[in-house]
Amino acid sequence: MELDGKRFQLLLSILLLIMSFTSSSASDGRQSYIIHMDKSAMPASFSTPHSWYTSALSSLSSSTDGVPPTHLYTYNHVMNGFSAVLSPAQLQQLEKNARAGFGDDMIIGIIDTGVWPESESFNDEGMPPVPARWRGACETGAEFNSSHCNKKLIGARSFSKAMKQSGLNISEIYDYDSPRDFMGHGTHTSSTAAGSLVPCADHFGYAKGMAIGMAPKARLAMYKVYFYNDSISACASDTLAGMDQAIGDGVDLMSLSLGFTETPFYENPIALGAFAAMEKGIFVACSAGNSGKIAMFNGAPWITTVGAGTVDRDFSGHITLGNGDLSITGRSIYPENQLVFRVPLYFGHGNRTKEICEYGSLDPEDVAGKYIFCDFDVETSYDRQLDEFRRSNASGAIISSDSGIFVFPSEFNLPLVIVKPEEGDLMKAYIINSKNPIVSVKFQTTVLGTKPAPQVAFFSSRGPGSVAPWVLKPDILAPGYEILAGWAPNKRATFIRDDALLTDYILESGTSMSSPHLVGIAALLKAAHREWSSAAIRSALMTTSDVFDNTKSILTDMATGQSGTPLDFGAGHVNPNKALNPGLVYDMEVQDYINFLCGMNYTMQQIKIISRRSDFNCENASLDLNYPSFIAILNDTSTTSYTFKRVLTNVVNSSSVYAAEVVMPTGMKVVVQPMTISFTEKYSRDGFNLTVEIDLGQKPRSYYNGKYGYLSWYEVNGTHVVRSPIICAFSTQQW
Ligand SMILES: *[C@@H]1O[C@H](CO)[C@@H](O)[C@H](O)[C@H]1NC(C)=O
Ligand SMILES: *[C@@H]1O[C@H](CO)[C@@H](O)[C@H](O)[C@H]1NC(C)=O
Ligand SMILES: *[C@@H]1O[C@H](CO)[C@@H](O)[C@H](O)[C@H]1NC(C)=O
Ligand SMILES: *[C@@H]1O[C@H](CO)[C@@H](O)[C@H](O)[C@H]1NC(C)=O
Ligand SMILES: *[C@@H]1O[C@H](CO)[C@@H](O)[C@H](O)[C@H]1NC(C)=O
Ligand SMILES: *[C@@H]1O[C@H](CO)[C@@H](O)[C@H](O)[C@H]1NC(C)=O
Ligand SMILES: *[C@@H]1O[C@H](CO)[C@@H](O)[C@H](O)[C@H]1NC(C)=O
Ligand SMILES: *[C@@H]1O[C@H](CO)[C@@H](O)[C@H](O)[C@H]1NC(C)=O
Ligand SMILES: *[C@@H]1O[C@H](CO)[C@@H](O)[C@H](O)[C@H]1NC(C)=O
Ligand SMILES: *[C@@H]1O[C@H](CO)[C@@H](O)[C@H](O)[C@H]1NC(C)=O
Ligand SMILES: *[C@@H]1O[C@H](CO)[C@@H](O)[C@H](O)[C@H]1NC(C)=O
């Protein structure tokens, strides 16, 4: 769920239009049209209606003869809207974008911790009746009954048999024995995917603005499979039952912000449930996990595996020293509108070059009632510094550190601002040179347009997958860092002093937040292209994603501060507008996945468990899926040449020709055959082979681990670009 600011522009979800009369006709069929827009639906990311309209136009591809849409007028008084010259195809696309815009009548199943149905994000104002095909239910249980569902939240069920069997007693102290959300997590994920528009929401004064899900008109169904317990996590059989029911109820898409330790696919409940969903045409997105390089979850090739990216937003405390001698903006998410005006500022007692405020180092006599200035120290850690501030009765603290971005919102539980070391040095100079150093601080400031963004969130799990490294995972990034969305209002969000703080909306970070973003966007695509398979939707999302950030550099890995690679961000960061019109897709069928399982040397019995069919054979076993990315596994030390076969499908209603362009680092050579492919009509196909050759020369194999480039198919005389990463990597295969 995203708010104001230009962080994650989801133009197509809000665009609403009524076609009007046509006038002057050009020889090529282009005509001028007047487009009415619903200004109240303008995303807050646009500062003016004009910028919204021009952005809507620029998302349209050039017509077949290469002519882009032409903007004529923006109307502000006689109506809200604009006029433009469009080709018939562009007009059709604009209408389609609007239709897709809301994810109308798509049903998203969320497998999670339950839902808080009273959240404003689930209000069903203006929603049409529940689709007749829906077979789901709203189950009765602790503090939950059928009247808690509505036209937005159309289903809610709870699966706890296995949990109870394993000894968990669900009591109201710990959880609700019903679909009601105790932990807040499921309310957050579901409101992110398809929450209704909420005009005003914030996290204790931060990220204030309009809250809206990715697919605001899509329906939600909650399948609660995860109950609060310190010692037990989700049970495999409860999770599988939830997925099974979601398929039976008739969801169109599913998102799982949970994962099981990777095991072979025939033992992994999410892999099994997702295979059955894929066969039914249900799109499944899952979180990649939050363990950085340690482990990745949900790497099955029929799942869309989503890593977490940051957004271009930060939260800050604004510091003024002395009489305005110096102003500094640092990072803070302290949840209180505290007035800090000309408070004494304390910095050490010795030679005052460094003060790390380790536990027991501050004398309450010196610091009580003052703001403390300290240097961060890895060994002391924020935790122990904060404990010391509390112990010594300091009023607040400013820490000089370059690792403030790693401090989570809930850790700002006392008045704390973290400033960059360069600014820390300026503060030190001020303090040392003044007789009575004083500070004023303004909390609850939200900074938009931060750079670089997006970045790969430091915790986001990295590829390759450990079970099937022959497909590049994660597939894609979506926003998953400090995301504002709904929450269980009786659940402690954070605390200050000894007070628990409660909230309806909260900032949370994790790949748990990125999977529902992605599934909401997939719902918009599916609404626009109902005939597309899950593989086609994933392909559209991947081949149009962004690999450059808002400084035009390759996405940075927040964990290292260096450029990331496709092992960190997959194909790139999702770009919803471009995904709607990818030009070509890499499609797949159930048989392709079976061939892949055969290629993994799974036994007939194991493949039967996954595919639930016996009428298959392994004559076309292959580890080379028709995937929109390429990964060459370096482990077999004798191989220096890797060949991939691919087939592309035209999804545009016209003929087209595409030419290949390859960008690779030195030492990696890629040959594409043929270099030009062509399509006669919609759904026509053409294939190519791609060979990666690595030149070992003087270099060890490890030199190539993580080396990558791209294959891009450029539409000749058109605007579509279909891009795929090509990467070499060692596998960490365990199964
Ligand atoms: C459901 O519970 C609410 C109170 O939470 C109650 O007002 C309502 O009558 C109940 N509805 C049904 C159908 O039991
Ligand atoms: C979690 O389950 C274990 C085993 O049944 C139980 O001993 C423990 O009290 C439970 N904890 C909570 C918080 O429910
Ligand atoms: C769970 O509840 C049952 C019946 O109330 C009780 O017999 C059992 O000891 C409880 N188990 C735990 C782990 O608390
Ligand atoms: C000042 O203190 C720091 C840290 O305690 C120490 O490393 C440094 O040598 C001291 N400098 C002087 C000039 O005493
Ligand atoms: C901190 O302040 C509280 C209340 O003013 C007081 O009771 C406590 O003794 C103080 N702590 C220290 C370490 O001085
Ligand atoms: C599958 O078995 C074949 C034949 O033994 C072997 O060459 C191949 O490396 C195996 N593939 C995998 C993924 O283990
Ligand atoms: C294997 O591939 C061949 C050639 O494409 C095809 O004719 C055959 O039907 C395939 N077999 C299976 C089991 O899919
Ligand atoms: C595709 O284009 C043809 C001819 O231009 C047109 O007749 C047909 O309606 C179009 N189909 C779709 C689905 O847009
Ligand atoms: C790709 O390679 C296969 C086998 O190496 C060959 O049969 C096929 O014709 C090639 N396809 C193209 C499009 O070059
Ligand atoms: C692209 O445009 C050029 C110039 O108009 C034309 O000669 C060429 O045939 C076109 N190519 C395709 C594939 O449409
Ligand atoms: C591949 O190489 C990596 C790095 O050397 C190693 O950790 C991994 O176990 C190897 N995997 C296999 C399947 O040999």
Side-chain angles (χ1 to χ4, degrees):
M1 169 173 310
E2 275 311 309
L3 300 184
D4 52 346
K6 221 171 163 75
R7 294 174 301 286
F8 183 56
Q9 204 182 82
L10 194 72
L11 155 80
L12 64 86
S13 76
I14 325 281
L15 192 142
L16 192 97
L17 85 180
I18 308 156
M19 250 306 300
S20 188
F21 65 89
T22 64
S23 57
S24 62
S25 176
S27 58
D28 55 0
R30 296 169 79 236
Q31 292 189 332
S32 71
Y33 296 92
I34 296 174
I35 317 286
H36 293 258
M37 301 286 279
D38 177 358
K39 203 172 129 203
S40 69
M42 182 175 88
S45 53
F46 296 101
S47 46
T48 61
H50 179 74
S51 57
W52 181 31
Y53 306 154
T54 50
S55 175
L57 282 175
S58 66
S59 74
L60 304 177
S61 52
S62 299
S63 59
T64 38
D65 52 3
V67 183
T70 312
H71 173 265
L72 299 176
Y73 293 104
T74 286
Y75 305 106
N76 297 309
H77 305 291
V78 292
M79 57 171 272
N80 293 313
F82 60 95
S83 54
V85 182
L86 304 170
S87 69
Q90 288 161 348
L91 178 64
Q92 210 174 29
Q93 204 186 329
L94 194 60
E95 282 183 301
K96 196 161 200 172
N97 287 9
R99 208 155 18 91
F102 303 103
D104 248 0
D105 267 354
M106 284 291 126
I107 302 171
I108 304 178
I110 306 279
I111 319 289
D112 213 294
T113 66
V115 64
W116 193 268
E118 293 86 0
S119 168
E120 255 315 286
S121 289
F122 307 122
N123 85 66
D124 65 351
E125 218 181 286
M127 297 285 296
V130 175
R133 63 194 166 90
W134 178 238
R135 295 182 294 272
C138 200
E139 292 178 357
T140 298
E143 299 189 36
F144 209 96
N145 64 38
S146 59
S147 57
H148 287 109
C149 286
N150 60 16
K151 288 179 285 187
K152 162 59 72 180
L153 179 66
I154 63 171
R157 297 182 188 266
S158 152
F159 301 82
S160 58
K161 281 186 194 163
M163 282 237 152
K164 287 174 176 161
Q165 191 60 38
S166 73
L168 171 68
N169 280 352
I170 303 168
S171 74
E172 272 168 42
I173 314 167
Y174 293 124
D175 207 323
Y176 302 96
D177 195 358
S178 78
R180 184 172 290 276
D181 188 7
F182 176 79
M183 299 171 70
H185 188 273
T187 304
H188 203 277
T189 55
S190 47
S191 56
T192 297
S196 301
L197 190 152
V198 177
C200 209
D202 66 308
H203 170 103
F204 304 104
Y206 297 90
K208 230 179 197 143
M210 174 182 79
I212 187 165
M214 291 294 100
K217 284 278 165 71
R219 319 305 177 114
L220 286 165
M222 173 56 64
Y223 297 84
K224 177 173 175 177
V225 300
Y226 195 107
F227 290 76
Y228 178 76
N229 188 279
D230 293 333
S231 57
I232 307 176
S233 56
C235 281
S237 38
D238 290 335
T239 302
L240 194 57
M243 295 181 82
D244 189 70
Q245 189 66 55
I247 295 170
D249 286 350
V251 303
D252 300 299
L253 308 98
M254 240 190 253
S255 173
L256 290 93
S257 292
L258 52 97
F260 291 85
T261 309
E262 287 287 82
T263 50
F265 296 140
Y266 48 85
E267 288 175 359
N268 183 313
I270 297 179
L272 292 173
F275 195 97
M278 174 273 295
E279 283 179 301
K280 292 255 172 11
I282 299 166
F283 180 90
V284 182
C286 292
S287 300
N290 299 337
S291 12
K293 288 201 189 292
I294 298 164
M296 209 190 63
F297 291 143
N298 299 318
W302 48 89
I303 289 172
T304 298
T305 313
V306 193
T310 67
V311 294
D312 61 344
R313 176 179 65 189
D314 201 0
F315 306 111
S316 63
H318 192 74
I319 298 169
T320 307
L321 297 168
N323 300 315
D325 307 342
L326 186 59
S327 283
I328 287 172
T329 298
R331 177 170 156 85
S332 183
I333 316 178
Y334 178 63
E336 191 181 34
N337 183 15
Q338 197 187 56
L339 182 68
V340 181
F341 187 64
R342 301 174 71 90
V343 174
L345 185 56
Y346 175 88
F347 173 43
H349 43 69
N351 67 18
R352 306 215 292 187
T353 54
K354 194 168 185 200
E355 176 66 67
I356 57 172
C357 306
E358 61 192 350
Y359 198 76
S361 68
L362 299 174
D363 184 346
E365 297 233 327
D366 292 340
V367 306
K370 297 181 184 170
Y371 259 62
I372 315 294
F373 178 86
C374 290
D375 293 286
F376 176 66
D377 181 72
V378 176
E379 275 170 27
T380 307
S381 81
Y382 289 107
D383 275 0
R384 295 190 40 196
Q385 289 184 325
L386 295 185
D387 284 347
E388 177 60 0
F389 301 144
R390 260 180 234 110
R391 187 196 67 84
S392 63
N393 278 349
S395 309
I398 296 166
I399 300 181
S400 171
S401 166
D402 54 15
S403 61
I405 47 171
F406 302 119
V407 182
F408 284 109
S410 61
E411 294 176 86
F412 286 88
N413 49 41
L414 59 73
L416 166 69
V417 183
I418 302 173
V419 299
K420 297 242 168 69
E422 310 85 87
E423 283 153 341
D425 289 344
L426 296 176
M427 286 191 68
K428 282 182 194 176
Y430 160 80
I431 297 170
I432 289 166
N433 292 321
S434 56
K435 266 205 215 90
N436 296 306
I438 50 169
V439 67
S440 304
V441 184
K442 183 181 181 302
F443 291 101
Q444 295 180 320
T445 307
T446 300
V447 184
L448 300 177
T450 59
K451 290 179 178 174
Q455 301 182 45
V456 182
F458 63 92
F459 50 77
S460 189
S461 287
R462 313 307 163 98
S466 61
V467 182
W470 308 280
V471 287
L472 174 63
K473 293 283 177 174
D475 290 304
I476 196 160
L477 284 194
Y481 180 75
E482 298 180 348
I483 301 302
L484 190 83
W487 191 245
N490 61 352
K491 169 88 178 170
R492 186 180 92 165
T494 181
F495 65 93
I496 48 176
R497 294 174 291 271
D498 290 330
D499 302 332
L501 298 186
L502 307 177
T503 184
D504 293 334
Y505 286 84
I506 195 171
L507 292 169
E508 286 281 311
S509 296
T511 53
S512 281
M513 285 67 236
S514 58
S515 181
H517 269 105
L518 200 282
V519 88
I521 295 163
L524 304 178
L525 255 67
K526 209 172 157 81
H529 306 285
R530 292 185 189 247
E531 68 285 9
W532 285 10
S533 69
S534 298
I537 292 173
R538 173 173 56 194
S539 175
L541 292 164
M542 287 173 67
T543 61
T544 59
S545 63
D546 295 327
V547 291
F548 294 107
D549 61 25
N550 58 5
T551 68
K552 308 224 179 331
S553 310
I554 297 282
L555 302 175
T556 300
D557 176 1
M558 199 177 160
T560 61
Q562 309 291 312
S563 293
T565 77
L567 294 174
D568 306 310
F569 53 69
H573 189 276
V574 63
N575 182 326
N577 293 330
K578 277 163 68 189
L580 203 62
N581 185 12
L584 307 175
V585 296
Y586 294 89
D587 204 357
M588 276 184 273
E589 289 168 9
V590 178
Q591 185 61 47
D592 296 308
Y593 294 112
I594 291 176
N595 294 344
F596 184 83
L597 296 171
C598 296
M600 287 181 75
N601 293 340
Y602 280 2
T603 65
M604 288 308 197
Q605 190 56 32
Q606 290 162 344
I607 297 174
K608 224 181 259 178
I609 290 172
I610 299 167
S611 67
R612 298 168 341 286
R613 58 178 77 192
S614 38
D615 59 330
F616 66 87
N617 68 55
C618 276
E619 74 181 39
N620 295 331
S622 167
L623 291 173
D624 186 22
L625 273 172
N626 195 36
Y627 221 77
S629 56
F630 302 83
I631 179 166
I633 296 297
L634 296 166
N635 280 45
D636 175 357
T637 49
S638 62
T639 309
T640 54
S641 172
Y642 305 80
T643 297
F644 304 86
K645 259 172 77 178
R646 292 289 185 274
V647 174
L648 279 158
T649 305
N650 183 24
V651 290
V652 178
N653 189 18
S654 60
S655 65
S656 56
V657 176
Y658 285 75
E661 188 186 288
V662 171
V663 180
M664 295 306 292
T666 44
M668 259 175 94
K669 192 173 142 211
V670 165
V671 177
V672 178
Q673 262 184 331
M675 287 290 281
T676 303
I677 50 178
S678 51
F679 304 87
T680 50
E681 59 193 359
K682 195 168 187 180
Y683 301 130
S684 63
R685 297 166 164 242
D686 202 358
F688 66 94
N689 289 347
L690 180 148
T691 303
V692 179
E693 271 159 28
I694 63 170
D695 172 15
L696 282 181
Q698 305 300 313
K699 304 239 164 49
R701 285 181 96 74
S702 57
Y703 170 82
Y704 288 96
N705 187 28
K707 284 270 180 303
Y708 71 98
Y710 287 98
L711 161 69
S712 302
W713 289 104
Y714 283 87
E715 185 182 5
V716 178
N717 295 346
T719 55
H720 293 108
V721 182
V722 184
R723 196 200 57 237
S724 297
I726 306 168
I727 190 163
C728 289
F730 281 117
S731 95
T732 53
Q733 201 204 0
Q734 293 162 19
W735 308 99

